[in-house]
């Protein structure tokens, strides 16, 4: 059978992962990224749950361990810097995860590791500064049907499969769903952002969370001696922040955030001064906390399929990287299984995409919807609410409530499928 010809759109986490797995089936893969170079940037992420065995299946555990962030755990502090509760990292090999994962890693390092899997592979080409303008596809019952893709540079090319791994705001998803389809993103009423500041000698290597009144959180994480990473989480609509995000003006956004946190206590004044004036803070990134909610059966349409955040984003849910890797393995595995069983390339792609959604959707969306009250509870508005959070955290730390095996019972029991066709 002629190998599949595949276009993967998006060079973050899921895109390079699906490129790797499909290359093992003999497919010819083109991975495109709209940026001019590999997007090896971003702050600290982690691998947890079934993301850990996937990492091992990909043969990258040694590379990941070589660059992991050695964070001893996560602490809650008050506005005077006093520790109120501490959650240590779970012991390696226990199968459990705490607030800090055993595999904490900077996003850029993980991207580079994933790219290296196919960087010199004869079946995979990486194209940067490349986007698509649109596509059409042949009828599903056409046994030799293709996706006809037009690129922004004017050229056109046909593919057996197009994978949209271009994130929460996926433009490919909108093309697939159609111009009249509603935006599947659901804003959850909060924001999360991060940036870097020069370190001070007293900055802790513990992940640190400080609650402020007005449903605000400021925190830090530290992966290298010279820099401290500042995190901001806040709830409620902020007109000045919204206006800055809409304008795309980073200076305006910095000023809006500084107004929001200045005078908040702990190290807020220092961090806001750095945000406004330190060049290290130019890596500022802020996004609304949101989920992607798609109707059942709409992760794919014909030979075009959504992967990662484009299909099931839950911002800051803790499992984004893990689910991006797991979904890539399952999509490739379902297609490879049907190809081995003798299905035509068209049948394998179309049915494989449907099987991937059917099997993975319940797990990938396990935290979707109904949990806003938890987020409200842990971003309190008042001093009394902050006191309650600290008291609850002390009890949780003492009883090791943080040492869990999954998001809930469903994810804790769920076992990763095995696809011999990808070995």
């Amino acid at each position: 059978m002629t190998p599949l010809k595949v276009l993967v759109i998006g060079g973050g986490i899921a895109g390079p992962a699906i490129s790797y797995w499909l290359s093992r089936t003999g497919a010819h893969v083109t991975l495109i990224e709209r940026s001019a170079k590999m997007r090896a940037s971003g702050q600290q992420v982690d691998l947890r749950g079934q993301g850990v065995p996937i990492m091992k299946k990909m043969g990258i555990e040694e590379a990941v361990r070589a660059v992991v962030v050695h964070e001893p755990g996560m602490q809650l502090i008050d506005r005077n810097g006093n520790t109120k509760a501490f959650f240590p990292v779970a012991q390696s090999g226990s199968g459990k995860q705490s607030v800090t994962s055993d595999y904490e890693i900077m996003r850029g390092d993980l991207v580079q590791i994933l790219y290296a899997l196919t960087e010199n592979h004869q079946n995979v080409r990486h194209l940067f500064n490349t986007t698509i303008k649109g596509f059409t596809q042949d009828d599903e019952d056409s046994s030799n049907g293709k996706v006809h893709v037009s690129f922004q540079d004017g050229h056109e090319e046909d593919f057996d499969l197009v994978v949209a791994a271009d994130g929460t705001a996926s433009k490919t998803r909108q093309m697939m769903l159609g111009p009249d389809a509603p935006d599947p993103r659901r804003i959850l009423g909060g924001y999360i952002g991060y940036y870097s500041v020069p370190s001070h000698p007293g900055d802790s290597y513990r992940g640190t969370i400080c609650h402020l009144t007005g449903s605000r959180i400021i925190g830090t994480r530290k992966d290298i001696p010279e820099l401290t990473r500042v995190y901001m989480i806040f709830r409620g609509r902020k007109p000045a922040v919204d206006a800055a995000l809409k304008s795309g003006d980073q200076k305006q956004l910095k000023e809006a955030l500084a107004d929001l946190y200045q005078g908040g206590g702990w190290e807020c004044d220092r961090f806001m001064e750095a945000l406004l004036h330190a060049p290290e803070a130019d890596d500022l990134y802020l996004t609304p906390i949101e989920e992607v909610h798609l109707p059942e059966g709409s992760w794919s349409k014909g030979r075009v399929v959504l992967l990662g955040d484009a299909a099931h984003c839950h911002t800051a849910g803790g499992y984004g990287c893990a689910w991006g890797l797991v979904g890539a393995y399952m999509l490739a595995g379902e297609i490879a299984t049907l190809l081995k069983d003798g299905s035509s390339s068209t049948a394998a792609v179309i049915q494989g995409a449907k099987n991937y959604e059917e099997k993975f959707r319940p797990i990938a969306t396990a935290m979707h919807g109904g949990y806003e009250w938890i987020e409200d509870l842990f971003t309190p508005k008042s001093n009394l609410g902050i006191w309650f959070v600290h008291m609850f955290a002390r009890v949780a730390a003492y009883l090791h409530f943080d040492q869990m095996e999954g998001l809930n019972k469903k994810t804790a029991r769920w076992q990763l499928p095995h696809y011999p066709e990808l070995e």
Side-chain angles (χ1 to χ4, degrees), residues 133-211:
K133 185 164 54 177
F135 60 81
T136 61
Q137 56 178 316
D138 298 322
D139 292 339
E140 292 190 17
D141 56 6
S142 175
S143 60
N144 196 34
K146 306 289 182 184
V147 185
H148 312 287
V149 180
S150 58
F151 289 80
Q152 286 289 358
D153 63 7
H155 90 275
E156 297 183 354
E157 200 168 343
D158 294 343
F159 297 91
D160 298 300
L161 168 66
V162 172
V163 179
D166 47 347
T168 309
S170 171
K171 293 183 178 179
T172 315
R173 180 182 63 217
Q174 189 63 51
M175 295 177 192
M176 185 194 83
L177 297 175
D180 298 326
D183 190 335
R185 291 174 291 176
R186 181 180 298 175
I187 304 297
L188 300 182
Y191 307 75
I192 183 169
Y194 54 76
Y195 62 97
S196 303
V197 301
S199 284
H200 281 192
D203 290 349
S204 177
Y205 274 88
R206 290 180 174 185
T208 300
I209 296 173
C210 181
H211 287 84

Side-chain angles (χ1 to χ4, degrees), residues 2-5 21-29 121 123:
T2 304
L4 291 178
K5 184 179 179 183
W21 288 116
L22 288 175
S23 72
R24 294 180 67 88
T25 71
H28 294 276
V29 182
H121 197 292
N123 284 10

Side-chain angles (χ1 to χ4, degrees), residues 333-344:
E334 292 297 330
I335 293 172
T337 298
L338 292 171
L339 287 173
K340 186 176 181 181
D341 290 344
S343 297
S344 68

Side-chain angles (χ1 to χ4, degrees), residues 188-236:
L188 300 182
Y191 307 75
I192 183 169
Y194 54 76
Y195 62 97
S196 303
V197 301
S199 284
H200 281 192
D203 290 349
S204 177
Y205 274 88
R206 290 180 174 185
T208 300
I209 296 173
C210 181
H211 287 84
L212 310 175
T213 55
S215 300
R216 298 169 297 162
I217 293 174
I218 191 160
T220 60
R221 306 186 90 165
K222 190 170 173 62
D223 58 287
I224 55 176
E226 58 269 23
L227 292 176
T228 293
R229 318 293 184 170
V230 178
Y231 289 77
M232 300 168 290
I233 300 174
F234 51 96
R235 294 185 64 76

